[in-house]
Each structure stands twice: as C-alpha cells, then as structure tokens.
Amino acid sequence: MQKKLKTLTLALLVAGCTGSQKPAIDEPTLKEVFNDDFTIGTALSADQIEGKDAAADSLVRKQFNVLTAENSMKSMFLQPEWGKFDFALGDKLVEYARQNNMQVIGHTLIWHSQLPSYAQGMTSKDSVQTFFRDHIQTVASRYDQKILGWDVVNEALNEDGTIRSTVFQRLLGDDYVTEAFRLAQQAAPDTELYYNDYNIEQPAKRAGAVRLIRQIREAGVRIDGVGIQGHWHAGKVPLKDIEDSILEYAALGIKVMITELDLEVLPRDFTGAEISQRMKDPADPSLNPYTSGLPDSVQTQLATDYEALFKLFLKHKDKISRVTFWGVNDGQSWLNGWPLPGRTNYPLLFDREYQPKPAYYKVIDAKKN
Ligand code: XIL
C-alpha cells in the first residue's frame, strides 16, 4: 500500500513538473492571449527564415503573428553590391508569413550600422544621394502591399536628442530623415512608416524623437508610428519613462510599438543598444556568470520585470499596436554575442530548449490578473 502511494506521488510529481514546463497543446499562446490587445512579434534569423530550425518553426507558428527579419532586410544584405539587390531571404520571409497568416515588418531602410561597406565609405554627396534614393525606392516598392510596415529610419538620434553624425547626416544634412520618409511614402503608399530607436523612452532622447516626428509631419510627409526598441536590463526596467513615452508618442497621433524587446541579465557597463559599442574590460571573468544555468533569484527577477512590462502594455493597449521580441529563444539572442562575444544570456521568454520560462507564464498571467 505504502509503495503504491509512493509510486503515485512520484507519478503526480513528474506529471506536475512537466506540466509546468510545457504548456498543454490547448493552452492559449501569446498571440491568442493578447489577440484583442496588440500583435506579438519575433525576429527571425537567416537560418530560421530558411526553415533550418524546425523547433523554432513550430514555436513561431504557435506563439507569434508578426515577423521581423533580424538581419536579412538590412541594406548590407539587400544590396550587397552597389546596384545589385538580393531579395531571396526577404521574399522567403514574406512568403512564410503569407502562408501562416502573419504580418511582416521591414527592418530597416536607412541605418548607419550594417550598411554595405561601399556605402559606409562614400565621401561624395552625389553617391550617397543616389544610394539613399535607389535603395529606398527599390526595396520599399518591392514589398509594398506585401508587408505591414517599414522601420524607415533606425537610430538617427544621439542620447541628448540631437541628430547623430552618420554618413547620411554629414552628406545630406539633418533633413535626411524627412527625405527618407518622403521617398518611402512615394515608393510604398500602402505600407506603414515608422521611426525606430533605442533609449527613446529616456527624456532627452525622447524629446529629440518627438521633434523629429513633428518635423516630418510639418514637411507634409507621412509617419505612422514609432518603435521603442526595448533593449532593457532585468532589475532596471525604466517603467515610468516607458509609460511617459507611450503617452507622449501616442499624443502625437501615431502608433506606438515595442519593437526589439529583450531583458539583459548579464553585467553591462552601459545601457542602450549601440551595436558598435563594447565592454570596457572584456577579459573580466565575472562578466559571464551564468554559463551553467540561471540562478532562481535572477529567473524570478526576469519574470517579475516581464510581468510588470506587460501589465503596463495592457494598461495602454489602446495606444500600443505591437510588441516584438528580439529573437525566438535564449539560444538565438544577439545578447549572447554583444557587447561581448561568447556569453550565455537569458533575455527572452523561451529557453535554449524552446521551452517557456517562468517569465512566459508571468506574461500570460498579466492578462488574467
Ligand atoms: C542586431 C542583430 O540581432 C545581430 O544579429 C546583428 O549582429 C547586429 O544587429 N538594434 C537594431 C537591430 O535595430 O537591428 C540590432 O540587431 C540590435 C540593435
């Protein structure tokens, strides 16, 4: 009798255990839970777009309804040689989304990073102007009516809200941002047009973004939304700044999106997401503390932060149109390789085995409570 009881308890424990790790087939997923609130997106790597990652594929189909290419639609990949375009992966993504009844966000037409090297090195206004115009026209027109929106310009601002010095700003002037939107509007009349940046929930940079959006509008050019990237840090999520930003951007009459959400759990000596920035002391071994697993305390912190964020997003669901995570699972996250290569990071809702983490359940619970 006692032995039977023991076996039963063990069986229940095991069932309970797996039950809490894997959502049952019929449990509503992210895109279902938030269906009436905002769309739920993820960024796909080139391998994932090519269907080489079967585990990701099944998770993506279940959990998400809007897709961004993590890299494949950036100018260095779409126009690797001047005047030669490669649409293979972009087209594949669009087709995958069509088959699965999902939307696509184009990321990104004009960005100073991940520019092809021939464009980075341009010194004449004529060349930059030609590249700028042709790239926007060719790419935006190809995907018009096929994708929902474009991040027309990415990361044009400094932390103090002034316009960043880039090859575009230096040779075309500060107005290049408005010009990019003007060209995109002509080439893609049926596509939504967004400005996207990190740290634009921070007051000074936010003021700069508001100025930029107003300038675009005052020039009679269309801008439909703003993307707050959302590369934040567990334990330090700036909820008040995020809420203020949602309110301020929405008051301009445009859509607000969280476009690249992840919560860093590893030590970092700066905030934001400037991809050329590196850690000051990369040799410090304490910078990669969780190679054999995430301690419970950090796991709990991550879950609590995600819950608070989604409660905030739900509070302002009338202003937020989309929340996109920057990657499908922890193993894929760019934060394993930036700002220091070879780290083990845990910033997303799904772990390296594609299983939902405690943060996943907290996000789902945010809707119930
Ligand atoms: C990142 C990708 O995730 C990496 O794979 C790539 O090496 C660098 O770029 N802000 C953006 C994204 O707008 O395009 C960046 O994506 C992350 C920061």
Side-chain angles (χ1 to χ4, degrees):
M1 176 69 192
Q2 238 190 355
K3 198 176 163 205
K4 254 193 185 166
L5 209 64
K6 256 193 188 165
T7 324
L8 188 69
T9 322
L10 196 69
L12 282 174
L13 270 176
V14 169
C17 229
T18 41
S20 74
Q21 275 171 17
K22 287 189 188 172
I25 302 291
D26 54 358
E27 255 179 56
T29 63
L30 291 171
K31 69 173 173 189
E32 291 159 354
V33 166
F34 297 103
N35 188 41
D36 296 332
D37 308 316
F38 28 73
T39 54
I40 299 281
T42 189
L44 296 190
S45 68
D47 276 358
Q48 290 167 345
I49 294 173
E50 294 205 88
K52 292 181 185 164
D53 185 347
D57 183 61
S58 90
L59 197 68
V60 169
R61 287 173 205 254
K62 280 189 203 128
Q63 298 283 349
F64 303 98
N65 47 19
V66 52
L67 305 174
T68 308
E70 185 180 0
N71 288 298
S72 310
M73 292 173 86
K74 293 172 179 172
S75 61
M76 70 183 284
F77 297 108
L78 284 186
Q79 198 182 166
E81 286 175 58
W82 200 0
K84 286 201 178 140
F85 290 83
D86 179 355
F87 291 116
L89 283 178
D91 289 359
K92 226 173 208 166
L93 178 67
V94 168
E95 181 51 23
Y96 177 85
R98 196 189 62 75
Q99 281 172 6
N100 292 289
N101 203 18
M102 296 171 178
Q103 296 170 326
V104 171
I105 305 299
H107 174 79
T108 166
L109 290 172
I110 294 297
W111 187 25
H112 59 277
S113 289
Q114 294 187 287
L115 254 187
S117 51
Y118 64 83
Q120 259 165 36
M122 281 176 179
T123 49
S124 89
K125 182 173 176 179
D126 262 10
S127 308
V128 176
Q129 217 152 29
T130 306
F131 170 79
F132 185 83
R133 189 194 56 221
D134 292 353
H135 189 78
I136 296 175
Q137 279 173 352
T138 310
V139 174
S141 63
R142 182 177 187 97
Y143 292 113
D144 197 31
Q145 299 189 338
K146 294 193 172 129
I147 67 172
L148 175 68
W150 267 110
D151 291 336
V152 176
V153 176
N154 199 33
E155 303 179 357
L157 293 167
N158 292 313
E159 296 306 290
D160 66 1
T162 56
I163 298 277
R164 196 196 263 266
S165 162
T166 66
V167 64
F168 303 115
Q169 185 273 338
R170 286 190 295 275
L171 290 156
L172 306 178
D174 286 5
D175 255 7
Y176 86 89
V177 178
T178 300
E179 283 317 301
F181 278 81
R182 195 193 303 278
L183 289 164
Q185 164 182 342
Q186 286 159 3
D190 296 316
T191 308
E192 293 183 355
L193 309 178
Y194 315 133
Y195 177 70
N196 193 57
D197 209 334
Y198 61 83
N199 280 356
I200 50 166
E201 72 284 352
Q202 296 300 316
K205 201 166 181 179
R206 185 200 315 158
V210 168
R211 273 196 300 277
L212 204 61
I213 293 161
R214 288 217 168 101
Q215 274 161 23
I216 296 169
R217 286 272 190 74
E218 279 157 18
V221 175
R222 178 165 63 91
I223 171 164
D224 302 292
V226 60
I228 302 170
Q229 289 186 4
H231 296 293
W232 292 307
H233 301 252
K236 294 183 226 159
V237 179
L239 291 169
K240 167 86 171 68
D241 291 325
I242 299 169
E243 180 160 35
D244 290 349
S245 306
I246 295 169
L247 294 170
E248 216 174 308
Y249 291 131
L252 297 170
I254 56 175
K255 294 183 178 182
V256 183
M257 290 153 284
I258 310 299
T259 55
E260 304 184 13
L261 182 57
D262 48 24
L263 299 184
E264 165 97 87
V265 299
L266 298 181
R268 183 101 84 77
D269 52 20
F270 63 97
T271 65
E274 170 50 56
I275 70 164
S276 64
Q277 206 167 345
R278 295 287 176 269
M279 301 286 280
K280 283 192 201 83
D281 181 10
D284 180 350
S286 74
L287 294 178
N288 192 18
Y290 310 133
T291 48
S292 51
L294 197 58
D296 285 350
S297 60
V298 188
Q299 192 76 267
T300 305
Q301 178 70 59
L302 187 73
T304 309
D305 287 344
Y306 265 118
E307 181 181 27
L309 266 175
F310 272 77
K311 282 195 166 151
L312 182 63
F313 299 158
L314 283 170
K315 181 176 171 196
H316 297 294
K317 62 183 185 182
D318 56 324
K319 304 168 194 76
I320 295 177
S321 58
R322 167 171 62 99
V323 178
T324 287
F325 292 88
W326 206 238
V328 177
N329 75 341
D330 285 344
Q332 176 207 343
S333 170
W334 74 302
L335 293 173
N336 295 305
W338 179 90
L340 197 61
R343 295 207 290 182
T344 308
N345 219 329
Y346 302 83
L348 297 167
L349 298 188
F350 298 96
D351 67 19
R352 285 171 165 71
E353 276 71 51
Y354 302 88
Q355 296 304 314
K357 294 157 61 176
Y360 173 87
Y361 296 102
K362 286 287 185 190
V363 164
I364 299 278
D365 283 353
K367 174 74 184 186
K368 293 183 195 149
N369 302 323

